[in-house]
Coordinates of all heavy atoms in Angstrom, one line a residue:
F171 N 31.8 -7.2 21.5 CA 31.2 -8.0 20.4 C 31.3 -7.3 19.1 O 31.7 -7.8 18.1 CB 29.8 -8.4 20.7 CG 29.1 -9.0 19.6 CD1 29.4 -10.2 19.1 CD2 28.2 -8.2 18.9 CE1 28.8 -10.8 18.0 CE2 27.6 -8.8 17.7 CZ 27.9 -10.0 17.3
L174 N 34.8 -7.2 17.7 CA 35.2 -8.6 17.2 C 34.5 -8.9 15.9 O 35.1 -9.3 14.9 CB 34.9 -9.6 18.3 CG 35.4 -11.0 18.0 CD1 36.9 -11.1 18.0 CD2 34.8 -12.0 19.0
F175 N 33.2 -8.6 15.9 CA 32.4 -8.9 14.7 C 32.9 -8.1 13.5 O 33.1 -8.7 12.4 CB 30.9 -8.5 14.9 CG 30.1 -8.8 13.7 CD1 29.6 -10.1 13.5 CD2 29.8 -7.8 12.8 CE1 28.8 -10.4 12.4 CE2 29.0 -8.1 11.7 CZ 28.5 -9.3 11.5
L178 N 36.3 -9.5 12.3 CA 36.3 -10.9 11.7 C 35.5 -10.9 10.4 O 35.8 -11.6 9.5 CB 35.6 -11.9 12.6 CG 36.5 -12.2 13.9 CD1 35.7 -13.2 14.8 CD2 37.8 -12.9 13.5
S179 N 34.5 -10.1 10.3 CA 33.6 -10.2 9.1 C 33.9 -9.2 8.0 O 33.5 -9.3 6.9 CB 32.1 -10.1 9.5 OG 31.9 -8.7 10.0
E206 N 19.0 -17.7 5.7 CA 20.1 -18.2 6.5 C 19.6 -18.8 7.8 O 18.7 -18.4 8.5 CB 20.9 -16.9 6.9 CG 21.5 -16.3 5.7 CD 22.8 -15.6 6.0 OE1 23.4 -15.8 7.1 OE2 23.3 -15.0 5.0
A207 N 20.4 -19.9 8.2 CA 20.0 -20.6 9.4 C 20.4 -19.7 10.6 O 19.6 -19.5 11.5 CB 20.8 -21.9 9.5
G208 N 21.6 -19.2 10.6 CA 22.0 -18.4 11.8 C 21.7 -16.9 11.5 O 22.6 -16.2 11.1
L209 N 20.5 -16.5 11.7 CA 20.0 -15.2 11.2 C 20.6 -14.1 12.1 O 20.3 -14.1 13.3 CB 18.5 -15.2 11.3 CG 17.8 -13.9 10.6 CD1 18.1 -13.8 9.2 CD2 16.3 -13.9 10.9
F210 N 21.3 -13.1 11.5 CA 21.8 -12.0 12.3 C 21.5 -10.8 11.4 O 22.2 -10.3 10.6 CB 23.3 -12.1 12.5 CG 23.9 -11.0 13.4 CD1 23.4 -10.7 14.6 CD2 24.9 -10.2 12.9 CE1 23.9 -9.7 15.4 CE2 25.5 -9.2 13.7 CZ 24.9 -9.0 14.9
L214 N 23.3 -8.6 8.2 CA 22.9 -8.7 6.8 C 22.5 -7.4 6.3 O 22.7 -7.1 5.1 CB 21.6 -9.6 6.8 CG 21.9 -11.1 7.1 CD1 20.6 -11.9 7.1 CD2 22.9 -11.7 6.1
I245 N 25.0 -15.2 24.0 CA 26.1 -16.0 23.4 C 25.6 -16.7 22.1 O 26.4 -16.7 21.1 CB 26.5 -17.1 24.5 CG1 27.2 -16.4 25.6 CG2 27.5 -18.1 23.8 CD1 27.6 -17.3 26.8
R246 N 24.4 -17.2 22.1 CA 23.9 -17.8 20.9 C 23.9 -16.9 19.7 O 24.3 -17.2 18.6 CB 22.5 -18.4 21.2 CG 22.1 -19.5 20.2 CD 20.7 -20.0 20.4 NE 20.5 -20.6 21.7 CZ 19.3 -20.6 22.3 NH1 18.3 -20.1 21.8 NH2 19.2 -21.2 23.5
L247 N 23.4 -15.6 20.0 CA 23.3 -14.6 18.9 C 24.7 -14.3 18.5 O 25.0 -14.2 17.3 CB 22.6 -13.4 19.4 CG 22.4 -12.3 18.4 CD1 21.4 -12.7 17.3 CD2 22.0 -11.0 19.1
A248 N 25.7 -14.1 19.4 CA 27.0 -13.7 19.1 C 27.7 -14.8 18.2 O 28.3 -14.5 17.2 CB 27.8 -13.4 20.3
L249 N 27.5 -16.1 18.6 CA 28.1 -17.2 17.9 C 27.6 -17.3 16.5 O 28.3 -17.5 15.5 CB 27.9 -18.5 18.7 CG 29.0 -18.8 19.7 CD1 28.6 -20.1 20.4 CD2 30.3 -19.0 19.0
S250 N 26.2 -17.2 16.4 CA 25.7 -17.4 15.0 C 26.0 -16.2 14.2 O 26.2 -16.3 13.0 CB 24.2 -17.7 15.1 OG 23.4 -16.6 15.4
A251 N 26.1 -15.0 14.8 CA 26.5 -13.8 14.0 C 27.9 -14.0 13.5 O 28.1 -13.8 12.3 CB 26.5 -12.6 14.9
I252 N 28.9 -14.5 14.3 CA 30.2 -14.6 13.8 C 30.4 -15.7 12.9 O 31.0 -15.6 11.8 CB 31.2 -14.7 15.0 CG1 31.3 -13.3 15.7 CG2 32.6 -15.2 14.6 CD1 32.0 -13.3 17.0
T253 N 29.8 -16.9 13.2 CA 30.0 -18.0 12.3 C 29.2 -17.9 11.0 O 29.5 -18.6 10.0 CB 29.6 -19.4 13.0 OG1 28.3 -19.2 13.5 CG2 30.6 -19.7 14.1
S254 N 28.2 -17.0 10.9 CA 27.5 -16.9 9.6 C 28.2 -15.8 8.8 O 27.8 -15.6 7.7 CB 26.0 -16.6 9.8 OG 25.8 -15.4 10.4
F255 N 29.1 -15.0 9.4 CA 29.7 -14.0 8.6 C 31.2 -14.1 8.4 O 31.8 -13.3 7.6 CB 29.4 -12.6 9.3 CG 28.2 -11.9 8.9 CD1 27.0 -12.2 9.4 CD2 28.3 -11.1 7.8 CE1 25.9 -11.6 9.0 CE2 27.1 -10.4 7.3 CZ 25.9 -10.7 7.9
S256 N 31.8 -15.0 9.0 CA 33.3 -15.1 8.9 C 33.8 -16.5 9.0 O 33.4 -17.3 9.8 CB 33.9 -14.2 10.0 OG 35.3 -14.4 10.1
I257 N 34.9 -16.8 8.2 CA 35.5 -18.1 8.4 C 36.9 -17.9 9.0 O 37.7 -18.8 9.1 CB 35.6 -18.9 7.1 CG1 36.3 -18.1 6.0 CG2 34.2 -19.4 6.6 CD1 36.8 -19.0 4.9
I258 N 37.2 -16.6 9.4 CA 38.5 -16.4 10.0 C 38.8 -17.3 11.2 O 39.9 -17.8 11.3 CB 38.7 -14.9 10.3 CG1 38.7 -14.1 9.0 CG2 40.0 -14.6 11.1 CD1 38.8 -12.6 9.1
P259 N 37.8 -17.4 12.1 CA 38.1 -18.3 13.3 C 38.5 -19.7 12.9 O 39.3 -20.3 13.6 CB 36.7 -18.4 14.0 CG 36.1 -17.1 13.6 CD 36.4 -16.8 12.2
L260 N 38.1 -20.2 11.7 CA 38.6 -21.5 11.3 C 40.1 -21.5 11.0 O 40.8 -22.5 11.1 CB 37.8 -22.0 10.1 CG 36.4 -22.5 10.3 CD1 35.7 -22.9 9.0 CD2 36.4 -23.7 11.2
I311 N 39.2 -26.2 21.8 CA 38.5 -25.0 21.4 C 38.3 -25.0 19.9 O 37.2 -24.7 19.4 CB 39.4 -23.7 21.8 CG1 39.4 -23.6 23.3 CG2 38.8 -22.5 21.1 CD1 40.3 -22.5 23.8
L312 N 39.3 -25.5 19.2 CA 39.2 -25.5 17.7 C 38.2 -26.5 17.3 O 37.5 -26.3 16.3 CB 40.6 -25.8 17.1 CG 41.6 -24.6 17.3 CD1 42.9 -25.0 16.7 CD2 41.1 -23.4 16.6
I313 N 38.2 -27.7 18.0 CA 37.2 -28.7 17.6 C 35.8 -28.1 17.9 O 34.9 -28.3 17.0 CB 37.4 -30.0 18.4 CG1 38.7 -30.6 17.9 CG2 36.2 -31.0 18.2 CD1 39.2 -31.8 18.8
G314 N 35.6 -27.4 19.0 CA 34.3 -26.8 19.3 C 33.9 -25.8 18.2 O 32.7 -25.8 17.8
L315 N 34.9 -25.1 17.7 CA 34.6 -24.1 16.7 C 34.2 -24.8 15.4 O 33.2 -24.3 14.7 CB 36.0 -23.3 16.4 CG 35.9 -21.9 16.0 CD1 35.1 -21.1 17.0 CD2 37.3 -21.4 15.8
L316 N 34.9 -25.9 15.1 CA 34.5 -26.6 13.9 C 33.0 -27.1 14.1 O 32.2 -27.0 13.1 CB 35.3 -27.9 13.8 CG 36.7 -27.7 13.0 CD1 37.5 -28.9 13.1 CD2 36.4 -27.3 11.6
G317 N 32.7 -27.5 15.3 CA 31.3 -28.0 15.6 C 30.3 -26.9 15.3 O 29.3 -27.1 14.7
E318 N 30.7 -25.7 15.7 CA 29.7 -24.5 15.5 C 29.4 -24.4 14.0 O 28.3 -24.2 13.6 CB 30.4 -23.2 16.0 CG 30.2 -23.0 17.5 CD 28.8 -22.9 17.9 OE1 28.0 -22.3 17.2 OE2 28.4 -23.4 19.0
Y319 N 30.5 -24.4 13.2 CA 30.3 -24.2 11.7 C 29.5 -25.4 11.1 O 28.6 -25.2 10.3 CB 31.6 -24.1 11.0 CG 32.2 -22.7 11.2 CD1 33.1 -22.4 12.1 CD2 31.8 -21.7 10.3 CE1 33.6 -21.1 12.3 CE2 32.2 -20.4 10.4 CZ 33.2 -20.1 11.4 OH 33.6 -18.8 11.6
I320 N 29.9 -26.6 11.6 CA 29.2 -27.8 11.0 C 27.7 -27.7 11.5 O 26.8 -28.0 10.7 CB 29.8 -29.1 11.5 CG1 31.2 -29.2 10.9 CG2 29.0 -30.3 11.1 CD1 32.1 -30.3 11.4
G321 N 27.5 -27.3 12.7 CA 26.1 -27.1 13.1 C 25.3 -26.1 12.3 O 24.2 -26.4 11.9
Q322 N 26.0 -25.0 11.9 CA 25.3 -24.0 11.0 C 25.0 -24.7 9.6 O 23.9 -24.5 9.1 CB 26.3 -22.9 10.6 CG 26.5 -21.9 11.8 CD 25.5 -20.8 11.7 OE1 24.6 -20.7 10.8 NE2 25.6 -19.9 12.7
I323 N 25.9 -25.5 9.1 CA 25.7 -26.2 7.8 C 24.5 -27.1 8.0 O 23.6 -27.2 7.1 CB 27.0 -26.9 7.3 CG1 28.1 -25.9 7.1 CG2 26.7 -27.6 6.1 CD1 29.5 -26.5 6.9
F324 N 24.6 -27.9 9.1 CA 23.5 -28.9 9.3 C 22.1 -28.3 9.4 O 21.2 -28.7 8.7 CB 23.8 -29.5 10.7 CG 22.8 -30.5 11.2 CD1 22.6 -31.7 10.5 CD2 22.1 -30.3 12.3 CE1 21.6 -32.6 10.9 CE2 21.1 -31.2 12.8 CZ 20.9 -32.3 12.1
M325 N 22.0 -27.1 10.0 CA 20.7 -26.5 10.1 C 20.3 -25.9 8.8 O 19.1 -26.0 8.4 CB 20.7 -25.4 11.2 CG 20.8 -26.0 12.6 SD 20.4 -24.8 13.8 CE 21.8 -23.8 13.8
Q326 N 21.3 -25.5 8.0 CA 21.0 -24.9 6.7 C 20.5 -26.0 5.8 O 19.5 -25.9 5.1 CB 22.2 -24.3 6.1 CG 21.9 -23.4 4.9 CD 21.3 -22.1 5.3 OE1 21.8 -21.4 6.2 NE2 20.3 -21.7 4.7

Side-chain angles (χ1 to χ4, degrees):
F171 168 72
L174 186 68
F175 179 84
L178 290 176
S179 67
E206 299 212 3
L209 188 66
F210 184 56
L214 291 177
I245 292 174
R246 200 182 297 153
L247 182 69
L249 271 178
S250 73
I252 286 170
T253 52
S254 66
F255 267 90
S256 168
I257 55 162
I258 294 177
L260 283 177
I311 294 174
L312 292 177
I313 292 171
L315 209 57
L316 275 175
E318 279 296 323
Y319 281 95
I320 293 172
Q322 286 270 0
I323 298 169
F324 175 64
M325 287 195 290
Q326 193 76 49

